[in-house]
Structure formats: structure tokens, C-alpha cells
Amino acid sequence: MPIILWKIIVFHFTAIPAVSWCFLNDVNPEENLDIPAIAKYFSTKGRYEEVNPHLIEDILAVNTSILQPPSAQCREIHLTAIIRHGTRYPTTKNVKKMQKLYDLVRGSAPAKDSWLRELQTQWTMWYTEDMDGRLVQKGVNDHRHLAVRLSKLFPSLISEKNLRGGLIKFITSSKHRCVNSTLSFKAGLTELWTITDQEFEHAVNDALMRFFDQCTRFVEEVDNNPSAMTELDKFREGAEMKRVEEKIADRLGVEYSLITDDMAEAAFYLCAYEFAIKTVNSPWCRLFDVVDAQVMEYANDLKQYWKRGYGYDINSKSSCILFHDLFSRLDNTVSENQLGQPVTEAVTVQVGHAETLLPLLTLLGFFNDSDALTSTNYATQTQRSFRTSHMLPYAANLLFVLYDCGGGDLRLQPLLNEKPVMFPGLTDQKASMPLYQDVKKHYRDLLQGCDFETECQLFKSPA
């Protein structure tokens, strides 16, 4: 696939009515009435600040003490950052669902509760189908601020000198929300260093950042196959979801038959989008209590588990191309470093989607619970590690930092959402920053195999 280079410097956004972009000053969400009580269950529609609540008080705060190399000699020589786009508008498909719910609420009997009267008489349906997943101003800020925080966390790598010298490379999905997120990340750095005399290119590469579209076996066997989502379908028709729908109907004062699983999802999304985009605790959120939100979160997790996670082997194998791209770059950096040559790519910033990150996280073995998520084990999965609200908020990021600790001691530290994580299966005391060779040994089967073309053939030949 051809790689397209861009030097776009203009942003285009749809206007948002009456929005304030101020950040909240209270770091305790439980005590802040401007934050919905259910905000931490919004799955892939959640704010990055719910994953890192300290950012509510100071959006540029970093804690450098989280980086603890095994010796003072260690120095960072490369960073790859794989980042989800920032906060966006709902897609056309979800706007249509929201419109149906809004019409139902507007057309129902006049409400006694003030919050419901507000939905019926004051709240207007301002989401339009042409918004279709575009980046919002909050999404611009997500990436501008992330760029500044990462420059504070890794100042020797994300530096003005490296940016001006072409040692920081930018790659993005072709989707407008990803291109604009990439532009926003770059703007965060150029504004930080007041760079006005130079522009910085980025490459559009869907083969890497939207690999799932080009993996035929994934598209046919999972993405376009309704039967692949059987567990999700059964859960949406099950007792837990039915109870949520009945409680919504009771709160709205309408017949149970009028609230479908799509209506419940639309209500949940309205609460989530109003908060993520406008920082508003909307009356839509009154349709759910915490128990309901946990059920909705599980439904979203089921979808992600079976469509992008551990549900089917091809979900993770579709990311083989991104996996090899990562390790090829790390190997190249190691080679240059061992030869005493300057590193030619100090930082690589790759901007994609939740659907880019989750298959790679799965391929690497992160958040793999002992029991699969199914339609029947909701009650026993309350402590599951596979929770997309924690893993994949807007602007979620998976970082790989390569360290040279002297004497050929090369180490690799992974971080998720700016917090160190441990490679699954590497359990020694220095597992948060294991030897690079140990990481390669751990993933040797994938490094020797995991061929994108072979894995993505519709009919794989038997081994």
C-alpha cells in the first residue's frame, strides 16, 4: 500500500453549542457533581481523565518516579507510542439510535421529575449524522496535552532538537479523527517550543494503523459474520440487560416494550458523549445507576472481547503486521546503538483506533483472564482484567521505551496510558523493564511466525 505524506496545518471542526473547555478542579470524582457517578464505566467512550484522575486537577501533570530503571546508567534511546485518536463525535449509526430515543422521550407524557422535563423541553438533539466520528475540540486537547506530558516524561527523546532534526516520525490512519489527532500532537510540541519556522510531515499508512480492514479472514469470519457475536447477542437478550431496559422504561414512564437494547445503548452513549465532549453531567445519565452502568460496560466488553480481543485467534493475529513493525524498529535501534551510530528514529508516534490497540494488546497477552467473557458469567467477571474502560479511553496509548543501561544491557519498558505494565509471562523482579533479549525470547514464536499474509488468508492451509 502506498504511504502518503501530509503537511496539513489547518483544522476543521463542527461547532459545538455552549461548550466550556475548562478542566475540573476536583480530583475526587465521587465528590464532584459535574462528573457522572457512572463515568468510569463508559468503556471505549470514556475520558482519559477517568483512567488518570490526577489529570483533572492538572492536565499536564506527570510522575517521573514511575520510571525506575535498574541502574542510574540507564538512558532512553527509543520510544514507540501507539495512540488512539482523541475524543470524537458519535458515528452516524449511533446518532440515528440517539435520535430515536430522543423522539420517544419528547413524545412521551409530560414528566413530573425535573431532570426528565429538562430532556423533554430544554435539551435539543444537537448531534447530526454528518458529524460521523469527527474529532471534537476536546480530542484536539487530548493529543496536545499528551504530547506535552510525554515530552516531560521522556525529555531526552521528545525534544525540540529531535523534532527539528527529523528524529521523531509520525504515522497515522487515514481517518480524519486520526489525522487531526496527529496534527494536534504535533501542535502540542510546536506550541511548547514555539516553533513557527518549520513544518513536520506525517505519513498516512492504513496497512499498519487499520490492518483489520485488510485482513480478509478477520473481515469474513468475524467483522462481517453476525454469528461471531453470539455471546453478545445472548447477553443483550438476557436477564441483566432486560432489567436495565425495564428500569429505563420505569424512569421514563413508558411501556417496557418501547425500550430495546439499542435504546438502552443510545441512552448510555448520550450520557457518555455529553460528558466526554462537553464535560456535562447530563440528565441522560439519570437513566442509569451504577449497577445498570456495570451491565452496559460488560455488554461493551463482550463486544470488544469477541470482535477485537481473545474471542477469536484471528482478532489478535490480524495485528501481526504492527507487531513486526514494532520489533523491526526496536531491532534497528539496537543495531545502530551497538555499532555506536546515532539512532535515526528516536521516537515513533503512530495514531490509530481502539481497534488498532486492542488486537496488539491481545497478541502480546495483556489482560487475559482465566475464563472467557460469555453471556452467562457476568456475575463471576466483576474482577476481570479485560475492562475496556481502563484500557481504551479516548487517547489511550501503548508505549514501548528502549533503554541502554551500559555494557550491552538493553531493556524494554511497556507503559499503558502512561503507567508501567508488565509483559505477561515475564515475572522476574525487573519484569516492568526486562532485558530486551528476554522479551524477544518470550515472543519468539510470534517473531518467527505471525505472518500477516498467511494469517489473513481466508482459508488457511493446515499446518
Side-chain angles (χ1 to χ4, degrees):
M1 160 154 310
I3 296 177
I4 310 166
L5 292 178
W6 295 84
K7 284 188 179 180
I8 305 171
I9 55 173
V10 179
F11 298 98
H12 298 282
F13 301 105
T14 308
I16 306 175
V19 178
S20 168
W21 297 113
C22 297
F23 282 92
L24 304 169
N25 293 318
D26 191 342
V27 296
N28 188 347
E30 275 74 25
E31 296 177 3
N32 194 324
L33 298 178
D34 291 329
I35 299 178
I38 62 174
K40 61 184 177 182
Y41 303 109
F42 285 154
S43 188
T44 57
K45 307 296 185 289
R47 293 193 315 172
Y48 192 75
E49 290 88 333
E50 265 54 63
V51 173
N52 287 307
H54 65 277
L55 298 177
I56 297 171
E57 185 176 68
D58 179 2
I59 195 61
L60 298 180
V62 296
N63 178 11
T64 55
S65 68
I66 63 170
L67 304 173
Q68 295 184 338
S71 79
Q73 289 184 320
C74 297
R75 60 185 182 88
E76 307 117 347
I77 58 173
H78 176 81
L79 164 67
T80 287
I82 305 171
I83 312 173
R84 185 190 179 195
H85 58 75
T87 307
R88 62 166 175 81
Y89 288 114
T91 58
T92 298
K93 178 182 175 182
N94 283 329
V95 170
K96 289 178 179 178
K97 292 180 182 179
M98 292 172 183
Q99 184 69 52
K100 286 184 180 179
L101 176 65
Y102 175 64
D103 291 342
L104 172 66
V105 171
R106 284 287 296 264
S108 58
K112 295 178 182 178
D113 293 322
S114 59
W115 64 269
L116 188 47
R117 281 200 309 275
E118 182 181 343
L119 288 181
Q120 291 177 332
T121 62
Q122 297 177 39
W123 193 89
T124 55
M125 179 60 182
W126 64 276
Y127 299 100
T128 57
E129 292 182 22
D130 61 354
M131 290 176 173
D132 196 24
R134 291 186 177 275
L135 198 72
V136 301
Q137 183 61 43
K138 174 62 165 66
V140 171
N141 293 339
D142 287 339
H143 275 254
R144 284 176 55 245
H145 295 146
L146 177 62
V148 174
R149 290 197 305 273
L150 292 184
S151 75
K152 292 166 73 174
L153 205 52
F154 305 106
S156 66
L157 294 176
I158 302 182
S159 65
E160 181 178 357
K161 179 183 177 182
N162 281 348
L163 182 62
R164 286 187 178 276
L167 301 184
I168 302 179
K169 305 292 175 63
F170 300 92
I171 300 169
T172 177
S173 151
S174 64
K175 287 290 183 180
H176 38 67
R177 55 186 170 271
C178 295
V179 172
N180 281 332
S181 292
T182 305
L183 294 172
S184 303
F185 192 99
K186 288 192 285 185
L189 298 181
T190 56
E191 291 165 10
L192 176 65
W193 299 314
T194 324
I195 298 175
T196 58
D197 61 338
Q198 192 175 349
E199 294 177 8
F200 304 99
E201 294 182 340
H202 60 263
V204 172
N205 189 338
D206 280 346
L208 276 182
M209 307 317 294
R210 292 185 61 85
F211 50 76
F212 42 87
D213 282 342
Q214 301 178 34
C215 181
T216 306
R217 189 157 74 95
F218 167 76
V219 171
E220 294 296 319
E221 293 184 3
V222 180
D223 201 24
N224 290 343
N225 179 10
S227 67
M229 293 295 107
T230 298
E231 291 300 324
L232 172 62
D233 293 340
K234 288 194 291 189
F235 185 74
R236 289 178 64 141
E237 294 166 4
E240 291 94 351
M241 275 295 293
K242 286 300 176 191
R243 183 63 190 131
V244 172
E245 293 160 23
E246 289 169 358
K247 287 164 74 175
I248 292 173
D250 287 340
R251 289 167 182 139
L252 290 176
V254 300
E255 295 179 10
Y256 286 172
S257 60
L258 292 177
I259 303 299
T260 62
D261 53 0
D262 274 351
M263 288 278 198
E265 183 180 67
F268 198 59
Y269 284 170
L270 276 164
C271 171
Y273 279 114
E274 290 286 276
F275 182 56
I277 296 173
K278 297 167 63 177
T279 321
V280 167
N281 188 351
S282 163
W284 291 108
C285 301
R286 297 290 291 270
L287 293 172
F288 301 90
D289 58 29
V290 168
V291 173
D292 304 327
Q294 290 170 339
V295 173
M296 299 301 298
E297 180 193 40
Y298 190 73
N300 283 322
D301 285 351
L302 268 177
K303 177 182 178 181
Q304 297 299 332
Y305 186 92
W306 290 95
K307 198 161 192 173
R308 307 289 176 179
Y310 290 100
Y312 300 101
D313 185 57
I314 189 57
N315 295 347
S316 61
K317 293 295 178 60
S318 66
S319 70
C320 287
I321 190 169
L322 186 58
F323 171 85
H324 283 296
D325 173 75
L326 167 66
F327 278 93
S328 174
R329 188 179 307 107
L330 292 171
D331 280 347
N332 189 56
T333 301
V334 169
S335 296
E336 290 174 338
N337 188 63
Q338 288 176 337
L339 292 171
Q341 299 173 350
V343 172
T344 54
E345 197 163 337
V347 179
T348 307
V349 176
Q350 299 178 304
V351 180
H353 308 262
E355 297 89 345
T356 309
L357 279 164
L358 185 51
L360 182 61
L361 285 167
T362 303
L363 189 69
L364 294 171
F366 288 101
F367 309 109
N368 189 8
D369 297 293
S370 55
D371 294 323
L373 275 65
T374 70
S375 59
T376 58
N377 64 358
Y378 168 71
T380 61
Q381 289 283 12
T382 55
Q383 301 303 312
R384 67 189 181 278
S385 65
F386 191 95
R387 192 169 246 115
T388 53
S389 297
H390 299 170
M391 299 152 56
L392 296 168
Y394 293 118
N397 48 88
L398 179 59
L399 313 177
F400 297 92
V401 191
L402 188 63
Y403 287 84
D404 180 354
C405 296
D409 184 356
L410 294 164
R411 294 180 177 270
L412 186 65
Q413 179 169 52
L415 298 95
L416 181 65
N417 300 326
E418 301 173 70
K419 291 177 281 196
V421 290
M422 299 172 85
F423 285 110
L426 288 172
T427 54
D428 65 64
Q429 59 181 346
K430 296 177 181 177
S432 65
M433 202 178 289
L435 290 168
Y436 179 56
Q437 288 306 316
D438 286 350
V439 176
K440 290 186 66 176
K441 189 182 301 181
H442 182 65
Y443 292 117
R444 61 181 175 273
D445 289 346
L446 291 173
L447 288 166
Q448 293 168 3
C450 201
D451 177 70
F452 180 83
E453 298 297 332
T454 303
E455 296 292 344
C456 290
Q457 287 176 6
L458 190 53
F459 300 106
K460 284 182 65 180
S461 55

